[in-house]
PDB file of all heavy atoms in Angstrom:
ATOM      1  N   LEU A  94      50.185  55.848  49.805  1.00 92.00           N
ATOM      2  CA  LEU A  94      50.412  54.418  49.628  1.00 92.00           C
ATOM      3  C   LEU A  94      49.450  53.519  50.410  1.00 92.00           C
ATOM      4  O   LEU A  94      49.372  52.334  50.125  1.00 92.00           O
ATOM      5  CB  LEU A  94      51.854  54.056  50.019  1.00 92.00           C
ATOM      6  CG  LEU A  94      52.951  54.571  49.093  1.00 92.00           C
ATOM      7  CD1 LEU A  94      54.317  54.161  49.613  1.00 92.00           C
ATOM      8  CD2 LEU A  94      52.743  54.054  47.680  1.00 92.00           C
ATOM      9  N   GLY A  95      48.750  54.047  51.395  1.00 88.00           N
ATOM     10  CA  GLY A  95      47.853  53.189  52.183  1.00 88.00           C
ATOM     11  C   GLY A  95      48.619  52.128  52.954  1.00 88.00           C
ATOM     12  O   GLY A  95      48.430  50.934  52.747  1.00 88.00           O
ATOM     13  N   MET A  96      49.471  52.557  53.846  1.00 93.00           N
ATOM     14  CA  MET A  96      50.351  51.649  54.582  1.00 93.00           C
ATOM     15  C   MET A  96      49.574  50.839  55.628  1.00 93.00           C
ATOM     16  O   MET A  96      48.735  51.363  56.341  1.00 93.00           O
ATOM     17  CB  MET A  96      51.468  52.439  55.261  1.00 93.00           C
ATOM     18  CG  MET A  96      52.389  53.166  54.297  1.00 93.00           C
ATOM     19  SD  MET A  96      53.310  52.055  53.224  1.00 93.00           S
ATOM     20  CE  MET A  96      54.440  51.344  54.413  1.00 93.00           C
ATOM     21  N   THR A  97      49.896  49.542  55.695  1.00 93.00           N
ATOM     22  CA  THR A  97      49.363  48.638  56.718  1.00 93.00           C
ATOM     23  C   THR A  97      50.522  48.207  57.606  1.00 93.00           C
ATOM     24  O   THR A  97      51.700  48.426  57.266  1.00 93.00           O
ATOM     25  CB  THR A  97      48.740  47.395  56.068  1.00 93.00           C
ATOM     26  OG1 THR A  97      49.790  46.688  55.368  1.00 93.00           O
ATOM     27  CG2 THR A  97      47.627  47.765  55.099  1.00 93.00           C
ATOM     28  N   ASP A  98      50.229  47.555  58.727  1.00 94.00           N
ATOM     29  CA  ASP A  98      51.302  47.056  59.594  1.00 94.00           C
ATOM     30  C   ASP A  98      52.217  46.091  58.845  1.00 94.00           C
ATOM     31  O   ASP A  98      53.439  46.141  58.984  1.00 94.00           O
ATOM     32  CB  ASP A  98      50.716  46.366  60.833  1.00 94.00           C
ATOM     33  CG  ASP A  98      50.167  47.354  61.848  1.00 94.00           C
ATOM     34  OD1 ASP A  98      50.526  48.547  61.778  1.00 94.00           O
ATOM     35  OD2 ASP A  98      49.387  46.926  62.724  1.00 94.00           O
ATOM     36  N   ALA A  99      51.616  45.215  58.049  1.00 94.00           N
ATOM     37  CA  ALA A  99      52.431  44.257  57.287  1.00 94.00           C
ATOM     38  C   ALA A  99      53.344  44.974  56.305  1.00 94.00           C
ATOM     39  O   ALA A  99      54.518  44.610  56.142  1.00 94.00           O
ATOM     40  CB  ALA A  99      51.526  43.276  56.550  1.00 94.00           C
ATOM     41  N   ARG A 100      52.837  46.001  55.671  1.00 94.00           N
ATOM     42  CA  ARG A 100      53.648  46.748  54.708  1.00 94.00           C
ATOM     43  C   ARG A 100      54.765  47.515  55.413  1.00 94.00           C
ATOM     44  O   ARG A 100      55.885  47.615  54.898  1.00 94.00           O
ATOM     45  CB  ARG A 100      52.745  47.691  53.913  1.00 94.00           C
ATOM     46  CG  ARG A 100      53.331  48.091  52.594  1.00 94.00           C
ATOM     47  CD  ARG A 100      52.293  48.715  51.693  1.00 94.00           C
ATOM     48  NE  ARG A 100      52.886  48.935  50.393  1.00 94.00           N
ATOM     49  CZ  ARG A 100      52.326  49.666  49.456  1.00 94.00           C
ATOM     50  NH1 ARG A 100      51.146  50.234  49.656  1.00 94.00           N
ATOM     51  NH2 ARG A 100      52.932  49.837  48.303  1.00 94.00           N
ATOM     52  N   TRP A 101      54.471  48.077  56.608  1.00 96.00           N
ATOM     53  CA  TRP A 101      55.519  48.757  57.382  1.00 96.00           C
ATOM     54  C   TRP A 101      56.611  47.767  57.768  1.00 96.00           C
ATOM     55  O   TRP A 101      57.805  48.078  57.714  1.00 96.00           O
ATOM     56  CB  TRP A 101      54.937  49.424  58.626  1.00 96.00           C
ATOM     57  CG  TRP A 101      54.386  50.784  58.375  1.00 96.00           C
ATOM     58  CD1 TRP A 101      53.096  51.187  58.530  1.00 96.00           C
ATOM     59  CD2 TRP A 101      55.117  51.939  57.932  1.00 96.00           C
ATOM     60  NE1 TRP A 101      52.968  52.514  58.185  1.00 96.00           N
ATOM     61  CE2 TRP A 101      54.197  53.001  57.818  1.00 96.00           C
ATOM     62  CE3 TRP A 101      56.443  52.178  57.599  1.00 96.00           C
ATOM     63  CZ2 TRP A 101      54.561  54.281  57.404  1.00 96.00           C
ATOM     64  CZ3 TRP A 101      56.809  53.451  57.182  1.00 96.00           C
ATOM     65  CH2 TRP A 101      55.874  54.476  57.090  1.00 96.00           C
ATOM     66  N   GLY A 102      56.232  46.564  58.189  1.00 96.00           N
ATOM     67  CA  GLY A 102      57.228  45.557  58.565  1.00 96.00           C
ATOM     68  C   GLY A 102      58.121  45.170  57.402  1.00 96.00           C
ATOM     69  O   GLY A 102      59.343  45.070  57.538  1.00 96.00           O
ATOM     70  N   ALA A 103      57.508  44.949  56.231  1.00 95.00           N
ATOM     71  CA  ALA A 103      58.289  44.584  55.047  1.00 95.00           C
ATOM     72  C   ALA A 103      59.215  45.726  54.638  1.00 95.00           C
ATOM     73  O   ALA A 103      60.382  45.508  54.283  1.00 95.00           O
ATOM     74  CB  ALA A 103      57.349  44.216  53.900  1.00 95.00           C
TER      75      ALA A 103
END
Side-chain angles (χ1 to χ4, degrees):
L94 291 179
M96 297 296 289
T97 63
D98 285 342
R100 202 165 186 192
W101 275 118

